Amino acid sequence: GRAGRGGEKVEEEEEEGWHKLYPGHIPTSPLQKALLAAGSAVMALYDPYRHDMVAVLGETTSCLALPNLRDKMKNHPEGYHILQERPRIRLSTLDIARLQGLPDGSLGREYVRFLEDNKVSPDTRMPPKFVDDEELAYVIQRYREVHDLLHTLLGMPTNMLGEVVVKWFEAVQTGLPMCVLGAVFGPVRLSTRKLQVLATELVPWAIRSGLNASCVLNIYYEQRWEQPVESLREELGIFPPP
Amino acid sequence: CRCRALLSRPAGRLRARRDLAAGPDMHFGFQTVTEEERRKKIYQVFESVAKKYDVMNDSMTLGIHRLWKDILMHKMNPSPGTLLLDVAGGTGDIAFRFINYVSSVRERQLQRKLKHHQNLSWQEIFESYQKDKFNSLGDSQVVVCDINREMLKVGKQKAQHLGYSEGLSWVLGNAEELPFDNDKFDVCTIAFGIRNVTRIDLALQEAYRVLKPGGRFLCLEFSHVSNPLLSRLYDLYSFQVIPVLGEVIAGDWKSYQYLVESIRRFPPQEELKAMLEDAGFFKVDYENLNFGIVAIHSGFKL
């Protein structure tokens, strides 16, 4: 049914008579999804600045992996909590000043440091459009918003190398085809020296950690800003970064 | 000069409705909206697609839209000295073709004159010394009128890039209320624009008004395919492929969804013909291109 989220959109939904499940939802047929997947894959490779295409590719290929992910969350007490409350990580909801004031090594402090060092913001994540289930749309949104936190937990920067490492970790953890594609095709643009480091140290570590760790989407990060990163790593089962 | 003609808006057009406040209901693609909302939404669509308009046209029609526009120009067959108004001319495709066409006709004219220069009258020889020798357009002119600033901007940039300057002007204006005098133009065209006009009847009346007696109105627009098999294939392509192209190429699904819906809502060939006749045009006729995917309607002001 239609959640009353984004009240101003409800009238439009009524008017259009589509089966929009959430604001921004564009219902698509299987053929359209296939075409979108192919088209967005090509466009994402052709023009790497088209981040929207990466997002679309993710949405159109994740129909099998997302329900699995959602079930993992449902069957875990903290994950279930997250699905109920649907927290969002946005600049408007984060108290940056408070997080900055936290001790070094804590999740909150390191996360803000990560945002500043790499000059990124949590608000640049695209909302989902082509996921045909409202709860799954939230799951993929949560995954996108948690991505930066994963960078922090894994200690990886946002350059090409760091992104590929995080993708390997995410691929093992979530099974999302987009992560697998990113993990496999991402390295093509790296130099041989970096590829070596990647292959010998970083990827094996990422895989081992990903397999060993419990589901990263089952952590209510917003309630754990004070927790030291090291302790959270241990709790999850992520091995210390090389 | 381009002073506005005083048009008295026919007040009786508003259909009697329970709530007159918002205005009559109209369609925006398959949605039902008020007149004002429709104008606004359409403006926003073209504002958002302007930069990728040409790329999208080529992708959606596999380049065939160029042929359609060429055919329109050949049908028009303008001679040098023609004054053309291209309404909803946005990115300038028709205007540039017009300039190319009259330039080449003019060139042939001049070549013929040179070959038979002994047949020139004294008057003609005198005039040829007076006029700019490189009157390559023969005093032809085209005015591109569009309601959308972004589209005009793209058009002007294109003109500069391609080297078009002479005989070309750009005017911001509404097809339903053209900022031109009566009886001014030899030809008035609207290519893939009339579908987006909220009050087509007004646009046709305006076109009639600004044309000189003897002037011709030409409308190139998506129309209806009667062949059932082709119609189904066309629908499949339109609804399944085109919005995807819009999302992938322009990052804009919704504008292209609107495009295919608006094509379905547009009056078919015979109905548009009747509307032209209502506006006062004579010898109204239409020509189907590609089995009716596109049609060119033509009418004359007498």
Side-chain angles (χ1 to χ4, degrees), chain A residues 29-74:
Chain A
S29 68
L31 175 60
Q32 284 175 321
K33 285 202 178 63
L35 291 171
L36 268 175
S40 59
V42 170
M43 188 52 98
L45 285 172
Y46 175 73
D47 184 355
Y49 289 102
R50 291 289 301 273
H51 300 300
D52 61 324
M53 288 291 101
V54 175
V56 169
L57 183 58
E59 287 165 36
T60 49
T61 52
S62 59
C63 36
L64 290 173
L66 274 180
N68 274 338
L69 211 48
R70 187 258 309 268
D71 291 340
K72 271 194 203 169
M73 288 177 80
K74 256 197 172 148

Side-chain angles (χ1 to χ4, degrees), chain A residues 14-233:
Chain A
E14 236 81 85
E15 268 181 343
E16 283 170 7
W18 287 350
H19 305 293
K20 278 175 78 161
L21 300 165
Y22 51 87
H25 180 215
I26 298 176
T28 42
S29 68
L31 175 60
Q32 284 175 321
K33 285 202 178 63
L35 291 171
L36 268 175
S40 59
V42 170
M43 188 52 98
L45 285 172
Y46 175 73
D47 184 355
Y49 289 102
R50 291 289 301 273
H51 300 300
D52 61 324
M53 288 291 101
V54 175
V56 169
L57 183 58
E59 287 165 36
T60 49
T61 52
S62 59
C63 36
L64 290 173
L66 274 180
N68 274 338
L69 211 48
R70 187 258 309 268
D71 291 340
K72 271 194 203 169
M73 288 177 80
K74 256 197 172 148
N75 297 330
H76 186 279
E78 212 171 330
Y80 185 77
H81 204 43
I82 296 172
L83 278 178
Q84 294 287 81
E85 294 189 4
R86 308 243 178 132
R88 297 286 304 274
I89 302 176
R90 259 181 293 198
L91 279 179
S92 50
T93 54
L94 294 174
D95 187 351
I96 300 287
R98 181 176 85 87
L99 296 178
Q100 272 173 335
L102 289 172
D104 282 344
S106 64
L107 182 64
R109 183 72 194 90
E110 295 310 310
Y111 175 60
V112 172
R113 180 167 298 153
F114 166 81
L115 290 180
E116 287 169 357
D117 285 350
N118 293 277
K119 298 192 183 49
V120 290
S121 146
D123 290 357
T124 54
R125 298 295 158 194
M126 301 243 0
K129 290 188 282 210
F130 302 110
V131 180
D132 288 336
D133 177 304
E134 183 217 15
E135 194 172 35
L136 295 180
Y138 174 73
V139 172
I140 207 172
Q141 177 92 69
R142 182 74 182 162
Y143 151 72
R144 283 179 187 160
E145 290 178 356
V146 159
H147 177 81
D148 288 336
L149 280 158
L150 287 180
H151 271 278
T152 313
L153 278 175
L154 295 172
M156 289 290 131
T158 55
N159 55 24
M160 199 63 201
L161 187 63
E163 289 291 354
V164 170
V165 178
V166 178
K167 277 282 166 285
W168 275 98
F169 181 82
E170 284 176 344
V172 171
Q173 275 267 312
T174 63
L176 287 169
M178 190 53 229
C179 300
V180 176
L181 282 171
V184 171
F185 288 104
V188 297
R189 290 183 188 242
L190 290 173
S191 65
T192 20
R193 185 176 51 84
K194 287 190 176 168
L195 273 173
Q196 231 187 350
V197 177
L198 194 67
T200 52
E201 286 180 36
L202 295 173
V203 168
W205 162 73
I207 296 179
R208 269 184 296 125
S209 291
L211 288 171
N212 189 49
S214 56
C215 182
V216 287
L217 284 185
N218 280 335
I219 302 292
Y220 206 135
Y221 295 98
E222 292 90 328
Q223 290 174 347
R224 294 175 176 248
W225 294 126
E226 291 85 2
Q227 186 174 2
V229 174
E230 300 237 343
S231 137
L232 189 52
R233 272 191 202 134

Side-chain angles (χ1 to χ4, degrees), chain B residues 188 190 194 204 207 211 215-219 276 281 297-300:
Chain B
C188 176
I190 180 163
I194 203 163
L204 293 175
L211 277 172
R216 189 179 196 184
F217 173 71
L218 284 166
C219 168
L276 258 83
F281 289 103
H297 280 72
S298 160
F300 290 89

Side-chain angles (χ1 to χ4, degrees), chain B residues 18-271:
Chain B
R18 265 168 276 134
D19 56 313
L20 283 174
D25 273 359
M26 311 222 76
H27 57 85
F28 175 75
F30 290 157
Q31 296 174 47
T32 304
V33 296
T34 62
E35 216 172 272
E36 248 332 285
E37 279 170 13
R38 185 173 196 263
R39 281 200 189 91
K40 201 175 94 178
K41 285 193 168 198
I42 290 176
Y43 191 92
Q44 285 166 350
V45 164
F46 282 93
E47 204 174 39
S48 120
V49 306
K51 292 200 177 76
K52 297 265 176 144
Y53 185 72
D54 293 326
V55 170
M56 278 302 301
N57 284 348
D58 276 332
S59 325
M60 291 190 291
T61 63
L62 304 171
I64 301 175
H65 73 105
R66 297 165 185 241
L67 291 174
W68 292 330
K69 290 166 182 164
D70 288 341
I71 293 174
L72 177 70
M73 200 46 56
H74 273 89
K75 200 177 169 90
M76 190 196 301
N77 193 17
S79 46
T82 300
L83 185 50
L84 168 66
L85 170 65
D86 184 29
V87 182
T91 57
D93 279 349
I94 302 296
F96 303 150
R97 278 174 174 75
F98 172 77
I99 292 175
N100 292 343
Y101 198 97
V102 294
S103 298
S104 62
V105 172
R106 178 72 180 155
E107 216 182 288
R108 265 177 278 139
Q109 239 178 24
L110 289 171
Q111 277 174 358
R112 255 180 277 132
K113 274 203 176 153
L114 283 172
K115 264 195 202 166
H116 305 106
H117 65 268
Q118 61 264 41
N119 287 343
L120 283 179
S121 69
W122 282 116
Q123 183 66 20
E124 282 172 335
I125 296 173
F126 176 69
E127 276 174 3
S128 72
Y129 282 111
Q130 299 290 316
K131 277 189 208 167
D132 179 8
K133 253 201 168 171
F134 301 109
N135 188 352
S136 53
L137 290 181
D139 297 323
S140 320
Q141 272 188 72
V142 52
V143 177
V144 179
C145 180
D146 200 294
I147 198 174
N148 194 297
R149 274 190 185 80
E150 283 306 311
M151 294 291 281
L152 277 179
K153 209 162 95 177
V154 173
K156 285 186 198 168
Q157 283 168 353
K158 238 169 88 177
Q160 210 174 37
H161 184 67
L162 296 170
Y164 291 100
S165 54
E166 210 189 306
L168 182 59
S169 43
W170 307 85
V171 175
L172 188 69
N174 183 346
E176 297 169 5
E177 216 178 325
L178 290 171
F180 305 110
D181 256 340
N182 300 2
D183 309 320
K184 197 162 185 262
F185 295 97
D186 297 306
V187 187
C188 176
T189 50
I190 180 163
F192 301 116
I194 203 163
R195 199 181 69 252
N196 301 304
V197 170
T198 304
R199 294 283 305 274
I200 297 176
D201 53 339
L202 293 182
L204 293 175
Q205 283 171 28
E206 279 292 271
Y208 189 87
R209 180 180 67 78
V210 302
L211 277 172
K212 290 182 192 162
R216 189 179 196 184
F217 173 71
L218 284 166
C219 168
L220 174 66
E221 190 53 83
F222 288 109
S223 200
H224 283 246
V225 178
S226 45
N227 178 310
L229 175 64
L230 203 56
S231 172
R232 288 194 57 190
L233 286 172
Y234 180 45
D235 281 350
L236 186 74
Y237 178 73
S238 295
F239 284 98
Q240 300 297 315
V241 179
I242 287 183
V244 173
L245 280 176
E247 179 71 21
V248 172
I249 295 177
D252 189 350
W253 176 285
K254 296 222 159 141
S255 293
Y256 290 90
Q257 180 78 37
Y258 159 72
L259 171 84
V260 297
E261 288 174 1
S262 70
I263 292 175
R264 295 300 173 297
R265 296 296 296 251
F266 188 69
Q269 286 85 333
E270 282 295 328
E271 210 179 302

